[in-house]
């Protein structure tokens, strides 16, 4: 059986909110199957999903079998938990596309391919719900759970008490549909445990209740705390929206920067939740960090572990290089290796100037003082260049009359001008 105890592993990592009585004993008795639901409303997971995925990862590492359930059917309804508005419904083709994309991401963290008895499995509840007629559902499932029981759930009570625009019958039935998933997986895959966030407790326990009432079976719930930031704001959101795992939506550089910039307090919690580092390593990192917080050792290790795990070691190293361009002594070679998306993200917020392509070929002093407003006058520009205070693409300029050519362009259209140590300007040749 397991090398590590799943509950103990999650407890020291701060990843347990509530455990239903009997769950611990079930896990200690035998290899157990558990599932966690993932909402397929996009073709990428974001870091808000990562807590659940890490729980599935630990579950597998502890010798148990994880099921990742993509909520194709439930995605068509919309879960009222933690929401005050109905969500948009998706068509089947979109759901299937999203499911495939999500599986590719999960395959970086979970073993789906091996012949081990605890190899992960992905299931989609649309596959068993699509054949269910409304009459069959209300006869076989609806009669097992009372409206009083359903109304007592927090997610339902909040909406009935005036949060949002009330609640449609569709959303009211959500907990029955999710409960039926658990019943179905219990019957077909011997799934004994459902995992989820603390806000899912009501839906999960409806499932355990259905299993008890219909089959006299025993099933269990384990939930993890909802992750917030130390200041109480929502985890995983930035000003520009979600932090995605897919590099098309959040570049590895931006992803790396997100973790690098978390607060000290958050870094202490996140390194336990979002990495697989063992307890001794994490405790010694925390001690080192507390001795010299300005070195940001925790944030650096957190960003390294998670960027490597989600993207690759190569993407992590590229993200470091990109960071050094702005904050360290990176070379012009490193700058030229940047792809356009990362270049624009590294220099997001620096002043930008646009020039016509036929302006290239003129002396630096003209380009910087006339074609752009980097300098107020040619005299000021000439003086700073002669004093060694101006760089083009991370290389010092010695001659104010040196001309700027097409060969100087990064990614075929950008010039990076640095004035003094900290003032950057991006010139775009159109």
């Amino acid at each position: 059986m397991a090398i590590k105890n799943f509950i103990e592993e999650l407890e020291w990592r701060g990843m347990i909110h509530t455990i239903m009585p009997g769950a611990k004993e079930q896990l200690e008795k035998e290899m157990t199957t558990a599932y966690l639901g993932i909402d397929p409303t996009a073709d990428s997971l974001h870091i808000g999903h990562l807590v659940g995925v890490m729980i599935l990862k630990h579950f597998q590492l502890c010798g148990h079998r994880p099921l990742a359930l993509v909520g194709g059917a439930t995605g068509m309804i919309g879960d009222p938990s933690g929401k005050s508005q109905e969500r948009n419904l998706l068509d089947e083709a979109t759901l299937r596309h999203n499911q495939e994309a999500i599986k590719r991401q999960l395959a970086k963290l979970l073993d789906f391919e091996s012949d081990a008895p605890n190899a992960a499995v992905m299931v989609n509840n649309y596959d068993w719900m699509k054949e269910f007629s409304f009459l069959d559902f209300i006869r076989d499932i609806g009669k097992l759970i009372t409206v009083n029981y359903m109304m007592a759930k927090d997610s339902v009570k909040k909406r009935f008490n005036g949060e949002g625009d009330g609640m449609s019958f569709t959303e009211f039935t959500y907990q029955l549909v999710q409960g039926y998933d658990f019943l179905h997986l219990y019957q077909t895959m011997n799934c004994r445990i459902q995992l989820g966030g603390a806000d899912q407790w009501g839906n999960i326990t409806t499932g355990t209740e259905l299993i008890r009432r219909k089959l006299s079976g025993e099933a269990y719930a384990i939930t993890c705390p909802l992750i917030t930031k130390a200041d109480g704001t929502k985890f995983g959101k930035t000003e520009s929206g979600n932090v995605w795992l897919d590099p098309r939506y959040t570049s590895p550089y931006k992803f790396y920067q997100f973790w690098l910039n978390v607060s000290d307090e958050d870094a202490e919690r996140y390194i336990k939740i979002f990495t697989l580092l063992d307890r001794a390593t994490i405790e010694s990192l925390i001690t080192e960090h507390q001795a010299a917080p300005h070195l940001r050792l925790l944030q650096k290790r957190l960003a390294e572990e998670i960027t490597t795990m989600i993207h690759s070691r190569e993407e992590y190293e590229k993200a470091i290089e990109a960071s050094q361009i702005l904050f360290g002594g990176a070379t012009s070679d490193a700058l030229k290796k940047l792809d356009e998306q990362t270049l624009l993200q590294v220099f997001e917020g620096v002043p930008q100037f646009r020039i016509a392509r036929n302006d290239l070929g003129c002396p630096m002093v003209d380009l910087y003082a006339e074609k752009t407003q980097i300098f107020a006058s040619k005299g000021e520009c000439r003086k700073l260049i002669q004093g060694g205070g101006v760089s083009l693409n991370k290389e010092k300029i010695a001659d104010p009359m040196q001309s700027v050519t097409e060969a100087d362009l990064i990614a075929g259209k950008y010039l990076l001008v640095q004035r003094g140590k900290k003032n950057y300007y991006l010139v775009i040749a159109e």
Side-chain angles (χ1 to χ4, degrees):
M1 255 304 285
I3 305 156
K4 285 191 278 193
N5 179 298
F6 176 69
I7 301 289
E8 285 172 10
E9 184 69 17
L10 258 59
E11 276 179 334
W12 79 258
R13 289 179 183 275
M15 293 169 80
I16 296 261
H17 185 270
T18 315
I19 307 175
M20 192 176 272
K24 203 167 181 175
E25 292 73 12
Q26 169 60 38
L27 288 167
E28 285 165 359
K29 186 171 69 174
E30 60 192 352
M31 184 187 88
T32 301
T33 299
Y35 92 90
L36 179 127
I38 293 169
D39 172 15
T41 46
D43 63 355
S44 172
L45 301 172
H46 53 72
I47 58 174
H49 293 110
L50 259 186
V51 185
V53 176
M54 292 304 289
I55 287 172
L56 288 180
K57 174 77 175 169
H58 285 298
F59 197 70
Q60 190 169 42
L61 288 173
C62 291
H64 302 291
R65 179 169 75 148
L67 305 181
L69 180 142
V70 170
T74 32
M76 289 180 164
I77 297 171
D79 178 3
S81 303
K83 312 263 189 333
S84 56
Q85 303 294 330
E86 290 238 3
R87 71 166 63 157
N88 296 328
L89 310 184
L90 301 174
D91 59 58
E92 189 181 352
T94 306
L95 286 166
R96 291 291 177 201
H97 164 74
N98 293 355
Q99 176 183 348
E100 284 310 306
I102 288 168
K103 184 167 183 181
R104 284 194 297 275
Q105 291 181 333
L106 290 176
K108 290 184 176 179
L109 294 158
L110 300 174
D111 167 22
F112 286 97
E113 300 304 321
S114 79
D115 52 6
N118 70 327
V121 180
M122 178 175 267
V123 292
N124 184 338
N125 60 11
Y126 185 72
D127 294 336
W128 55 83
M129 290 306 299
K130 66 181 176 188
E131 306 302 336
F132 225 143
S133 78
F134 180 66
L135 288 175
D136 286 343
F137 190 79
I138 58 173
R139 185 193 65 205
D140 295 345
I141 305 304
K143 69 179 175 65
L144 295 172
I145 301 286
T146 65
V147 170
N148 311 48
Y149 179 89
M150 293 169 76
M151 292 282 288
K153 303 289 183 183
D154 281 345
S155 58
V156 175
K157 271 198 289 203
K158 281 179 186 167
R159 291 283 285 273
F160 269 85
N161 292 340
E163 269 193 30
D165 302 326
M167 184 184 231
S168 67
F169 174 73
T170 305
E171 282 194 306
F172 183 58
T173 59
Y174 185 93
Q175 60 174 291
L176 281 184
V177 179
Q178 184 170 329
Y180 180 72
D181 288 342
F182 201 174
L183 176 67
H184 176 84
L185 293 172
Y186 181 93
Q187 287 179 297
T188 59
M189 301 187 81
N190 194 28
C191 178
R192 295 303 182 95
I193 294 175
Q194 188 180 162
L195 306 163
D199 61 337
Q200 290 293 312
W201 182 256
N203 292 335
I204 298 173
T205 50
T206 299
T208 61
E209 189 63 10
L210 267 180
I211 291 164
R212 188 182 70 76
R213 291 187 186 186
K214 190 163 178 69
L215 305 171
S216 302
E218 286 184 4
Y220 309 100
I222 299 173
T223 62
C224 64
L226 294 179
I227 307 301
T228 54
K229 293 200 278 198
D231 61 9
T233 56
K234 192 167 181 179
F235 163 75
K237 290 270 189 189
T238 64
E239 283 173 24
S240 52
N242 285 320
V243 178
W244 299 94
L245 306 197
D246 190 315
R248 290 174 303 159
Y249 305 136
T250 300
S251 71
Y253 166 75
K254 264 258 164 92
F255 186 84
Y256 168 79
Q257 285 292 327
F258 172 83
W259 300 102
L260 194 63
N261 290 314
V262 300
S263 70
D264 290 351
E265 197 178 331
D266 286 335
E268 277 194 34
R269 286 186 307 135
Y270 295 169
I271 201 155
K272 294 173 187 170
I273 296 168
F274 297 109
T275 77
L276 295 169
L277 296 172
D278 61 56
R279 190 169 190 167
T281 304
I282 287 176
E283 284 173 354
S284 96
L285 274 169
I286 289 171
T287 307
E288 272 184 77
H289 177 86
Q290 286 170 344
H294 62 284
L295 297 177
R296 299 181 75 72
L297 292 174
L298 265 187
Q299 286 91 336
K300 286 174 183 170
R301 188 62 184 273
L302 172 67
E304 175 186 356
E305 292 291 322
I306 199 160
T307 307
T308 304
M309 181 168 68
I310 298 301
H311 294 292
S312 67
R313 168 64 50 179
E314 185 191 358
E315 289 296 349
Y316 158 70
E317 283 165 3
K318 277 200 221 161
I320 292 238
E321 273 196 3
S323 305
Q324 284 172 343
I325 285 164
L326 198 49
F327 307 115
T331 62
S332 60
D333 287 346
L335 184 64
K336 284 168 188 160
K337 277 193 267 178
L338 287 189
D339 59 88
E340 185 176 9
Q341 183 195 20
T342 307
L343 176 82
L344 291 174
Q345 287 175 341
V346 170
F347 295 103
E348 195 174 23
V350 309
Q352 295 186 359
F353 296 101
R354 293 176 186 275
I355 59 167
R357 262 181 193 273
N358 56 16
D359 287 335
L360 293 168
C362 69
M364 298 251 171
V365 71
D366 292 352
L367 186 75
Y368 295 168
E370 288 183 349
K371 309 289 184 191
T372 64
Q373 284 76 54
I374 295 171
F375 288 91
S377 69
K378 287 187 183 182
E380 183 194 358
C381 179
R382 204 174 279 115
K383 197 170 168 189
L384 199 57
I385 288 175
Q386 286 162 347
V390 180
S391 298
L392 173 65
N393 299 340
K394 302 299 282 186
E395 288 181 345
K396 283 261 189 287
I397 301 303
D399 177 6
M401 299 309 289
Q402 181 184 325
S403 58
V404 184
T405 69
E406 290 257 352
D408 293 313
L409 295 175
I410 303 162
K413 65 194 272 198
Y414 300 99
L415 298 167
L416 179 69
V417 182
Q418 191 175 350
R419 174 184 165 177
K421 278 194 174 175
K422 292 185 177 171
N423 299 311
Y424 286 97
Y425 305 87
L426 204 56
V427 179
I428 305 164
E430 295 178 316

